[in-house]
Amino acid sequence: MDLTVLGSGTVAPTSERTAPAYWVSAPPVQLLLDCGAGTLHRAVTYQIPWAEVTHLAITHFHPDHWGELVMFMFALRWGTEPSRSAPLTVIGPRGLQARMAHLASAYGDWVLDPEFPLEIVEIGPGEQRELADAVVLEACKTPHTEESLAYGIRAGSTRLVYTGDTGPSEELARWAVGCSLLLAECSLPDELGIELHLTPTQAGALARAAGARHLVLTHFYPVFGDIDPAAVAAREFDGEIVAARDGDRFSVGA
Ligand SMILES: [Zn+2]
Ligand SMILES: [Zn+2]
């Protein structure tokens, strides 16, 4: 399983980081996790086969996490040559179906009927969905918005956990136990921490509690300045830690 960071930023724009988007390749699954502003252009820049996407999973309905979904689908419908015929599954929290219907009212019926098979799947905390033979997506509640989820992607003995947006949560730590790679949001420096996001210290503590093998920090607000979040998280977690940059690629080992 491979992970490529397309956007390691947030809603706050910077020249270095676009909004949240992560490409997970676990053949035959090509999964896009979140789809914030900049996703398509970053995917092209990093030579991701974006048009071969099989699944698109949204963690929650903040626009920085799914604001480019319609644009992505528009590109799949009219921006590929030859036209797409492969099916697409869009997965998200409860309320996704209704929101997609609203998007269709705003943008056109093609949102729900893009002329390739489209399946819209709602998933709740504690549920899982088989994406392909032996590749499973799992969901866990996170303390961020009413609907927000973390996702786990399991292929054989390899498991990638992406926190989406979250505050500190013991439930999340228990659920993430044994993950090969923890992709954890790390929005704010310790001194600016709030309940609905993680700081480097909290992300490090989460990785330690989960017994993660490898911690990748992401979702940085620009206020970090010169602070190295990986160095701060290392006080809590003694495994390998990387502060993600757009374009980083990771091999998610067993
Ligand atoms: Zn966010
Ligand atoms: Zn959010």
Side-chain angles (χ1 to χ4, degrees), residues 20 60 64-65 144 165 197 219:
H60 64 297
D64 54 321
H65 289 257
H144 179 69
D165 282 1
H197 282 298
H219 198 272

Side-chain angles (χ1 to χ4, degrees), residues 142-162:
T142 68
H144 179 69
T145 61
E146 194 182 330
E147 80 284 359
S148 57
L149 298 173
Y151 287 131
I153 301 98
R154 192 188 286 280
S157 57
T158 298
R159 185 173 181 230
L160 163 68
V161 166
Y162 168 45

